[in-house]
Amino acid sequence: MAEVKEFFLDTEFIDSPNKIDLISIGVIDEGGREFYAISTEFNPRKASPWVKENVLVPDPHVRDLWSFQPDYKVHFYGYYADYDWVAFCQLFGKMIDLPRGFPNYCRDIKQRSDSLGDGWLPPQVGDGHQALDDARYVRRCHYFLNNVERERSQSA
């Protein structure tokens, strides 16, 4: 299992003091394959007014679903991804139930941007708050930061 592939994720959720209710999840891999799903298990009445206005809107996206059972090692990336990662991992049960090749952590592009000096991310296009669109933004930022790091190392 030497091959490593990069996946970019985002979720939308309702958070309360002791629970994260997943609303939707979007994942895109480095090759452009996409996964998008809306949960049937959350209670929209528990959503804050902001979530109701910005997240619980009719969704125009229709995506092919694909299996999360890789035969390679995976690196996941997110943006402010702590809650996203917990919501994602809970889909598989406990942490030890994650598919073979999955890490126990998500690499956060905001942290990576901060390590380069804050402000090293391109602006997000669109309104955001749609999990697949946000996962595409994470992917775009990842490749942007790769270029920033490459340029810095060449000029050093």
Side-chain angles (χ1 to χ4, degrees), residues 34-94:
E34 298 179 344
F35 170 86
Y36 180 73
I38 298 173
S39 173
T40 59
E41 298 179 14
F42 72 95
N43 182 346
R45 291 183 303 235
K46 292 183 179 180
S48 69
W50 185 91
V51 168
K52 288 177 182 175
E53 184 177 324
N54 293 284
V55 177
L56 299 180
V57 294
D59 194 290
H61 298 278
V62 177
R63 302 290 174 223
D64 292 331
L65 301 181
W66 50 277
S67 173
F68 282 109
Q69 298 297 324
D71 57 355
Y72 43 80
K73 187 174 179 181
V74 177
H75 290 172
F76 280 94
Y77 295 86
Y79 181 64
Y80 288 99
D82 296 335
Y83 276 26
D84 295 316
W85 187 244
V86 170
F88 176 74
C89 289
Q90 287 177 338
L91 293 172
F92 300 96
K94 297 183 285 188

Side-chain angles (χ1 to χ4, degrees), residues 7-13 24-28 34-36 50 54-55 59 61 63 77-81 84 109 121-142:
F7 285 45
F8 309 92
L9 75 97
D10 188 71
T11 66
E12 301 300 335
F13 52 83
S24 62
I25 184 167
V27 180
I28 182 169
E34 298 179 344
F35 170 86
Y36 180 73
W50 185 91
N54 293 284
V55 177
D59 194 290
H61 298 278
R63 302 290 174 223
Y77 295 86
Y79 181 64
Y80 288 99
D84 295 316
I109 61 163
L121 292 176
Q124 186 166 3
V125 179
D127 296 332
H129 310 301
Q130 196 285 335
L132 190 56
D133 289 340
D134 292 348
R136 288 183 188 123
Y137 175 69
V138 170
R139 181 178 180 224
R140 181 172 160 233
C141 289
H142 172 70

